[in-house]
Amino acid sequence: NKEFWKEFKGEKWKNEIVTGGAAYNLSNAAMQAQLLFLKEQLDYEYLLIWSLFSEPMQIFYGEDRSNPNYARIDEVLDFCVNNNIKVFLDLSQRRSKAIARGEREIYDQCVGVDFRSREEWENFFSGFLKHISRRYGETTVRSWVFEFTFFLNERPYYESDHYSPREVWNRGVSL
């Protein structure tokens, strides 16, 4: 409709969120340059990131879960904070998939960290929240969105005979 577009001609629409993708891809300089270009062009407020706790982020060294390494996560979050981009963290572990010409699968993998119990997951997540609150300040972290996605996540957040997505959400929001 010409009248509709005539009315909005020249106005810039506010974009709230842009999908960034898997966290491990966001430490790439070319990807960061593209996101800054989009920020300049679209003036978005939030960047959607998933698979934050994945093997490529090198959070743990082997089987030792007692001292998480947040260095790669910090690189991604530093980029966002330093460029006035709020973070929308989908805490699920999504699949990484590449398809050629819309039909031929090149690869399909899930590279998420397997938490062996609810307690291990809760301890890690609580420690992560404390880390980012100290590093970026509570005011900044409170402006971020934390989402526990279930319908896009084929894997549970932790291993348990009595796993409950509702319990994950309840415990996650209480930490």
Side-chain angles (χ1 to χ4, degrees):
N1 183 322
K2 283 186 177 184
E3 294 302 313
F4 174 82
W5 291 112
K6 200 181 230 183
E7 182 180 338
F8 290 103
K9 188 178 179 179
E11 284 188 33
K12 206 173 192 183
W13 291 5
K14 177 68 177 160
N15 295 285
E16 297 295 324
I17 189 166
V18 165
T19 299
Y24 57 88
N25 290 327
L26 301 179
S27 60
N28 176 297
M31 179 64 114
Q32 289 181 358
Q34 181 67 25
L35 290 169
L36 289 177
F37 172 78
L38 290 173
K39 177 75 172 152
E40 182 181 302
Q41 298 301 309
L42 302 175
D43 190 30
Y44 62 88
E45 186 172 2
Y46 286 89
L47 180 65
L48 174 60
I49 302 170
W50 58 78
S51 296
L52 191 66
F53 312 134
S54 63
E55 291 172 9
M57 297 302 285
Q58 300 176 355
I59 297 166
F60 300 117
Y61 179 72
E63 292 297 312
D64 182 15
R65 304 285 176 100
S66 62
N67 191 19
N69 174 14
Y70 299 116
R72 292 220 167 166
I73 292 174
D74 291 345
E75 287 178 13
V76 172
L77 298 178
D78 287 352
F79 164 77
C80 294
V81 170
N82 292 340
N83 290 288
N84 298 314
I85 300 169
K86 293 179 184 172
V87 180
F88 187 118
L89 291 176
D90 176 345
L91 297 166
S92 69
Q93 300 179 47
R94 295 191 191 180
R95 300 190 75 74
S96 181
K97 185 181 253 187
I99 299 175
R101 296 189 183 125
E103 61 203 37
R104 194 180 97 225
E105 188 175 288
I106 298 172
Y107 70 87
D108 181 4
Q109 60 186 356
C110 191
V111 293
V113 172
D114 291 321
F115 293 100
R116 297 173 286 222
S117 68
R118 183 178 114 182
E119 181 181 49
E120 183 181 69
W121 178 81
E122 287 177 2
N123 288 338
F124 171 78
F125 187 60
S126 177
F128 169 71
L129 292 174
K130 289 174 187 169
H131 169 76
I132 60 174
S133 292
R134 280 190 306 265
R135 186 172 179 92
Y136 305 106
E138 284 192 30
T139 302
T140 297
V141 173
R142 285 181 190 274
S143 72
W144 296 354
V145 176
F146 296 84
E147 180 176 63
F148 296 96
T149 302
F150 299 100
F151 63 93
L152 295 172
N153 185 11
E154 298 170 2
R155 296 171 57 168
Y157 284 83
Y158 54 84
E159 296 175 23
S160 172
D161 291 338
H162 307 290
Y163 180 81
S164 163
R166 182 181 308 270
E167 184 65 19
V168 169
W169 191 86
N170 286 337
R171 293 296 297 156
V173 299
S174 70
L175 293 174

